[in-house]
Amino acid sequence: MIDSIKVTYVFHSCYTVEIGDYFLIFDYFKGSLNIPDNKKVVFIATHGHSDHYTSEILKIPNMKDYTYILSDDIGQLESEDNIIFLENKKFGMEDLKNLYNSKNVHFVKKDMIKDIVLNDKSKIKIRTFGSTDLGISILLNIEGISIFHAGDLNFWAWPNNDDETMKKEYDDFMVEIEKIKKYPIDISFFPVDYRLKENYYKGGEIFIKECAPQIFFPMHSGGKEEISSKFEKKCRNRNTAIRPIFQKNQKIIIDINHK
C-alpha cells in the first residue's frame, strides 16, 4: 500500500509520476530527468509531435530495461527525429523498426484496453481514448490509482475559429469526454494553453465538470506556467484540487488517505 505519490513537472506536457515501484514519464521531449535506478521505468508518449516525443528516449543506454507505451503514429514517423545515435552509431529507419519491435515497446491506438506486461512480468492496465489533434489520450491504473494524461486532447477553441469550426472542435472534444467520464480519475494532466487567449480555460473547465478528477495538473503551457495559476483562480472546484505550476522541476507530493 502506497502512502504518497511524487509528481514532478518537467516542461510543457511532461510530468513524471513516482508511485510505488513505478516511475512514469509522460510526453518527454526536453528537460531534466532524474530516473531512479530502483524503479520500474515507463515512458509514455501520446503522439509524435515534437513537443510531446523525441527519439532521444531510445538513446538511453539501458532502454532495454525500461517499458515504452507509444502512440502508434510514432511508429510511422519519417522525419529527422527518427534518425538517432546509439553508442556513436547512426541508426536509420530499419534499425528503429527493430527497436520498435522490441518486447518492451508497446504501440497503442485509441479505444484500446490493454495489459502492458513489464520485464518482471508485472502488469499495468491501460485504457486509451482519442485526441482532438494527433494520437491518443491515456488512462493508467497503477497501485489502485488511476492516472490520466490528455496528450493533445482539448477543446481547441482558437479565437479566430469561425462558428462551424468552433462547433466541430467542441463536438469532437465532447465525443471523447463522454467516453472518459465513465471511469474514475485520481490524477489528471490536461492542457491549459495560453495561445487560446480568452478561451484558454474552456477545455479544462469542461473536463473537470464532466470527468471530476480528484487532482488536476495543468500542462501544455510552453514555458508560460503562470497560466496555470490563472486557471486555478477561474475554475476552482470543491471536488477537484487544481495544482498550479510555477517552474520547471517543481515537485508535488500527494499524500494518500487510506480511510
Side-chain angles (χ1 to χ4, degrees):
M1 185 177 293
I2 61 171
D3 295 317
S4 66
I5 300 168
K6 181 189 291 184
V7 176
T8 302
Y9 170 68
V10 179
F11 182 68
H12 195 51
S13 293
C14 180
Y15 280 85
T16 65
V17 180
E18 189 171 336
I19 175 171
D21 294 331
Y22 297 87
F23 188 79
L24 312 178
I25 305 165
F26 289 96
D27 279 13
Y28 176 81
F29 79 103
K30 70 177 182 179
S32 176
L33 285 179
N34 295 307
I35 301 176
D37 296 328
N38 60 342
K39 299 287 183 181
K40 303 173 189 180
V41 177
V42 183
F43 280 90
I44 301 104
T46 60
H47 62 287
H49 283 166
S50 61
D51 61 337
H52 290 259
Y53 167 77
T54 173
S55 56
E56 291 288 317
I57 63 177
L58 296 170
K59 291 172 61 175
I60 299 173
N62 48 346
M63 68 84 67
K64 67 183 185 300
D65 298 325
Y66 300 158
T67 299
Y68 295 81
I69 305 173
L70 310 177
S71 175
D72 64 353
D73 67 280
I74 290 171
Q76 308 303 318
L77 285 177
E78 295 184 359
S79 66
E80 289 186 1
D81 192 51
N82 253 6
I83 304 297
I84 65 176
F85 292 84
L86 294 173
E87 298 177 355
N88 297 319
K89 179 181 177 182
K90 190 172 184 178
F91 270 54
M93 286 301 296
E94 289 304 314
D95 302 285
L96 276 176
K97 286 178 183 177
N98 290 332
L99 284 175
Y100 285 159
N101 289 329
S102 300
K103 290 182 179 179
N104 62 327
V105 179
H106 305 266
F107 283 99
V108 296
K109 56 186 177 181
K110 72 173 185 176
D111 300 325
M112 289 180 65
I113 303 172
K114 185 177 178 67
D115 285 335
I116 301 295
V117 181
L118 280 62
N119 289 341
D120 67 351
K121 306 303 180 184
S122 61
K123 295 179 181 179
I124 297 174
K125 180 174 285 294
I126 69 165
R127 293 180 183 271
T128 61
F129 307 92
S131 174
T132 42
D133 196 337
L134 181 65
I136 62 166
S137 48
I138 187 167
L139 180 67
L140 304 89
N141 193 287
I142 298 179
E143 303 280 3
I145 302 295
S146 55
I147 303 170
F148 177 79
H149 192 286
D152 266 354
L153 173 66
N154 195 9
F155 174 25
W156 293 109
W158 300 105
N160 59 349
N161 283 350
D162 58 33
D163 291 346
E164 182 179 355
T165 302
M166 194 71 83
K167 182 178 186 306
K168 185 178 187 312
E169 290 286 354
Y170 175 80
D171 290 345
D172 290 349
F173 177 60
M174 292 307 297
V175 166
E176 300 306 321
I177 290 295
E178 288 299 318
K179 299 176 193 175
I180 296 164
K181 67 190 289 186
K182 297 175 183 177
Y183 305 100
I185 299 173
D186 295 311
I187 300 171
S188 63
F189 304 97
F190 195 91
V192 176
D193 195 320
Y194 73 96
R195 298 173 303 162
L196 294 172
K197 298 183 179 178
E198 67 268 20
N199 296 332
Y200 74 95
Y201 68 93
K202 289 187 174 180
E205 183 179 58
I206 293 168
F207 175 74
I208 289 172
K209 179 181 177 182
E210 296 292 330
C211 300
Q214 294 290 310
I215 302 174
F216 179 104
F217 286 97
M219 65 177 193
H220 214 273
S221 58
K224 304 283 187 179
E225 287 83 9
E226 60 271 14
I227 195 73
S228 67
S229 294
K230 186 177 178 182
F231 178 85
E232 192 275 334
K233 291 174 183 176
K234 184 171 184 63
C235 298
R236 283 177 181 156
N237 184 296
R238 63 187 179 86
N239 296 316
T240 296
I242 301 170
R243 298 293 181 91
I245 295 302
F246 306 103
Q247 60 188 1
K248 290 183 286 187
N249 303 316
Q250 180 179 335
K251 291 177 172 53
I252 302 96
I253 303 298
I254 301 171
D255 292 322
I256 305 299
N257 187 336
H258 295 294
K259 287 183 180 180

